[in-house]
Amino acid sequence: MLQNHPIGLRTLFLTEMWERMSFYGMRGILVLFMTASLIDGGLAIDAVSASAIYGIYSSSVYLVALLGGWIADRHIGQQNAILYGGLVIMIGHFLLAFTNIETFYLGLIFVVLGTGLLKPNISAIVGGLYEKEQEKKEAGFTIFYMSINIGSVLGFFICGYLGESIGWHYGFGAAGIGMAFGLIQFIFTRKNLGEVGIKPSIELPKNKKKKEIISLYLLSFVFMAILLMGIFGFWTFDPIPIANALTVIIISIAAIYFLYLFIFGNLNEDERKKIILILVLFFGAAFFWSGFDQAGSSFNIFAKEYTDRIVFGWEYPASWLQVLNPILVVILSPFMAYLWIFLGKRMLDPSLPFKFGLGLILMAIGFIFIAIGANVAMQDGLAGARWLLLTYLFHTIGELTLSPIGLAAISNLSPKRYVGQMMGIWFLASSLGAIIAGLLSGQATYEGLNSMPSLFNKVAIISSIAGLVLILISKPLNNWVFKK
Ligand code: GLN
């Protein structure tokens, strides 16, 4: 599979695989660890706050990616960003392995900062490897998306089993060891990448560079000081208002960015139309992730507390149920890629907003199944695992009609000079979705099982409406953007 591709893809494949193993492995047990009682070695945080913390964490990862891309472009280059990012992530997981509250928050912050450095830059280097053979780029990204998901499968199985069945320390520690494998591998095979991403892509005048570095140090110092004061009890961390505030901040960043681009971006008529299409896709993607990203929070709690997980007399870990998503991505992505080509040849390939609309409808169908599961559990005490599995099945097909396609669409629709920033905006949609998912998950779990069916049904209804609207406007919107 890899032999026709640049040798550097092997390095990135393994680095991203281990990074995602640690990322999803840790995420798989995070909410379970937070909500577990003290006797069970957990933090005894209530489900609503745990969901909010989880939302803040997963949203921050993608928010900091904006900064991570900026630092690599202007200061350290993408290769170094991966190296430092990986190191910081590894330290973060080892801090989490101590499983006390101080190291817990510090560990999460390290993982956020490290992932913000690593994730956008490793994706950018993939593109950079295909400078001379553009026609293979899409296949390269498909292989890369597979490495992400192979890593998640490993993470859910290994960290999930160790964390839930042996002890939380081991689950988080295993995530750290996984990242260490990725890092060592990266250091030894980094030369395969050649010159790609070795230097910053933007050359700054010495003075400006110095000023920016000093500001970055100052910013990190202030940020760390505030955090340490919080950790040592000088202020209290209340996750729910912070999650609400973060939602407003992310929406404002997106609004300001799009407005700025319209007013000062020197866009011509054609570019303007394409940016409006990107804005519509931005909303579609944020909507999608706000449902999908409840996998690690409300769905995970549902798996743990209200799902019958016993096979052959053995109760498997709750986080294992999440593994269906990455497994299906690996199996289905070649078929989906083929489906679009097949339809394209017959001039039947659906437009982008149509595919996004379809993604939202599939997401809604997934929510109908978990709502049924929650009702079953209310009657019988526990629900069969099939309800969650059906939910994940539909959510995964939805992911595939939207996520890899969205990534390619951003690079094709953005004006060349703004591609980097627009990738950041794409991740901002993930960030917005993740924080809303955290808040929704809180609403789903605040009365345990009782609050689940109504919230899940509500999400299903609202996202079907949003999906239908996208499908209805898809034709006129597409004609307006692409037909002269
Ligand atoms: N599963 C993909 C990844 O981990 C996409 C996640 C997202 O954009 N929210 O890279």
Side-chain angles (χ1 to χ4, degrees), residues 16 20 23-24 62 119 145 148-149 152 289 292-293 325 399 403 426-427 430:
E16 180 69 347
R20 290 285 106 177
F23 183 78
Y24 283 106
Y62 293 115
K119 179 82 173 151
Y145 211 78
I148 290 177
N149 287 283
S152 329
W289 297 120
F292 180 94
D293 258 348
N325 166 256
E399 175 185 356
S403 180
W426 174 251
F427 281 120
S430 292

Side-chain angles (χ1 to χ4, degrees), residues 396-419:
T396 306
I397 307 175
E399 175 185 356
L400 289 173
T401 65
L402 180 148
S403 180
I405 288 160
L407 211 54
I410 298 287
S411 71
N412 295 335
L413 292 172
S414 316
K416 273 270 164 309
R417 57 198 187 281
Y418 295 127
V419 176

